[in-house]
Amino acid sequence: MSRLSKGNLLPQTAPTPWATLGPASINQGQCPVRDVLDHIGDKWTALIVLTLKSSPSRFSALHRAVPDISKRMLTQSLRNLERDGLLSRHVFPTKPPAVEYRLTPMGQSFLRHLESLVAWAEENHPAVREARLRFEAANDEG
Amino acid sequence: MSRLSKGNLLPQTAPTPWATLGPASINQGQCPVRDVLDHIGDKWTALIVLTLKSSPSRFSALHRAVPDISKRMLTQSLRNLERDGLLSRHVFPTKPPAVEYRLTPMGQSFLRHLESLVAWAEENHPAVREARLRFEAANDEG
DNA sequence: GCGAAACAGTCTCTATCTTAGACCAATCAT
DNA sequence: ATGATTGGTCTAAGATAGAGACTGTTTCGC
């Protein structure tokens, strides 16, 4: 049995079909937008890619590096990433098994775009927090 | 570090390169990375920002433009975006109420980064689909 | 030798989140 | 008067994420 092939771990739910009909505003051609967004849109995927930035990591190392993630979601996200060709998985049949995950060239090019987003986040984080305070204040007195 | 003393393939330390503030900050809402990612990580938020790209829209128009979204999630995502200062909400007390949502300058700067990600998606979509086929094939023949 | 720990996952149960869609009050077209 | 449109809110039901117990193997401490 191939790993994870039939358990309930990876629900293969049908993706939202908004790509097929579509308002021109988002959806000019096909819908690659869906493809990106559904993946970085996974709360953990982008974090994992970012974590693999400088060096490949093993499952447990990743689990420690992204503290809040559950093993289940880590496995699932890793699998999606592997499936899409953004990372590769190498199993070393050592004493205790070792599995190494590393970004593919495509994964690395994706990473660069993620990083530009991260840079934006770092720049704008103060402004965002300020906006939040203003918003809460306006709401409290309402 | 006792096992793997001779294998020694990978560092076992957690890299967390995406947390410039250190690992502790990740859990405390201080991490700007999490801040961005948790928001575009919302399946709908990025789509809304992209939809607002060229012109402000009213609630119903947005609802039509992003067909699969429920009113509830649209409202919620819009509120989050407003709260964070990425878009502004203007109510016109007309006959039937009209509410206009438009990107703030900060929202627009965020949009530009999103668009670079979308461009990446457009470029790499074929490769991703190819990778998926390979992956499925490899799995099927188990 | 025995129990524990670490490796990489997987499984189940439960908590949380999303969705669909009814509902609201006001106003306009038929 | 009926129904549609406006911008939402609320609730029940269904989908999803999270915690953590469990698997099986090997090496470590005692």
Side-chain angles (χ1 to χ4, degrees):
Chain A
M1 152 163 33
S2 49
R3 76 212 137 79
L4 288 177
S5 57
K6 50 180 67 156
N8 60 355
L9 184 60
L10 297 174
Q12 297 192 350
T13 50
T16 47
W18 69 270
T20 56
L21 17 111
S25 32
I26 313 174
N27 181 25
Q28 301 286 344
Q30 275 300 341
C31 204
V33 180
R34 248 203 125 327
D35 252 332
V36 203
L37 263 26
D38 275 2
H39 284 174
I40 63 169
D42 174 337
K43 176 174 170 186
W44 301 113
T45 299
L47 246 26
I48 291 170
V49 170
L50 253 11
T51 303
L52 288 173
K53 172 179 176 169
S54 45
S55 60
S57 285
R58 295 172 55 175
F59 186 88
S60 302
L62 282 169
H63 194 211
R64 281 187 296 267
V66 187
D68 289 349
I69 200 171
S70 64
K71 286 176 150 204
R72 196 180 101 102
M73 289 314 290
L74 180 55
T75 303
Q76 183 176 317
S77 307
L78 250 12
R79 257 270 267 177
N80 285 339
L81 250 9
E82 186 194 358
R83 196 173 76 107
D84 288 358
L86 298 196
L87 63 75
S88 58
R89 177 178 179 272
H90 302 280
V91 181
F92 301 96
T94 47
K95 355 179 172 185
V99 179
E100 182 197 85
Y101 294 93
R102 73 167 63 215
L103 294 177
T104 61
M106 183 158 69
Q108 285 176 17
S109 82
F110 179 66
L111 170 65
R112 282 191 278 283
H113 291 260
L114 265 191
E115 287 186 297
S116 103
L117 223 35
V118 168
W120 180 91
E122 275 161 2
E123 265 179 59
N124 292 274
H125 194 216
V128 167
R129 283 204 308 196
E130 220 177 279
R132 277 180 197 163
L133 290 175
R134 270 198 305 279
F135 186 85
E136 306 297 351
N139 254 28
D140 283 349
E141 65 186 57
Chain B
M1 123 161 230
S2 8
R3 281 154 286 338
L4 279 182
S5 46
K6 84 171 77 140
N8 207 14
L9 322 127
L10 292 169
Q12 292 194 339
T13 48
T16 62
W18 38 277
T20 50
L21 300 169
S25 59
I26 299 160
N27 295 325
Q28 293 172 358
Q30 297 282 350
C31 178
V33 181
R34 286 293 276 268
D35 244 339
V36 207
L37 263 26
D38 279 358
H39 283 174
I40 63 169
D42 173 336
K43 177 173 170 187
W44 300 113
T45 299
L47 245 26
I48 292 170
V49 171
L50 251 11
T51 302
L52 252 17
K53 171 179 178 169
S54 45
S55 60
S57 285
R58 295 171 58 175
F59 186 88
S60 302
L62 281 168
H63 194 211
R64 281 187 295 267
V66 187
D68 286 352
I69 199 171
S70 63
K71 285 176 150 203
R72 191 180 182 276
M73 288 313 289
L74 180 55
T75 303
Q76 195 179 111
S77 307
L78 250 13
R79 287 282 179 282
N80 282 339
L81 250 9
E82 186 195 357
R83 197 173 75 109
D84 287 0
L86 298 197
L87 63 75
S88 58
R89 178 177 178 272
H90 303 281
V91 181
F92 302 96
T94 47
K95 356 173 177 182
V99 179
E100 182 196 84
Y101 293 92
R102 73 167 64 215
L103 293 176
T104 60
M106 183 158 68
Q108 284 174 18
S109 82
F110 178 67
L111 170 65
R112 282 191 277 283
H113 291 260
L114 264 191
E115 286 186 298
S116 103
L117 223 35
V118 168
W120 180 90
E122 275 160 3
E123 265 179 61
N124 292 274
H125 193 216
V128 167
R129 285 202 308 195
E130 219 176 280
R132 277 180 197 162
L133 290 175
R134 271 197 305 278
F135 186 84
E136 306 298 352
N139 252 29
D140 284 349
E141 65 188 57

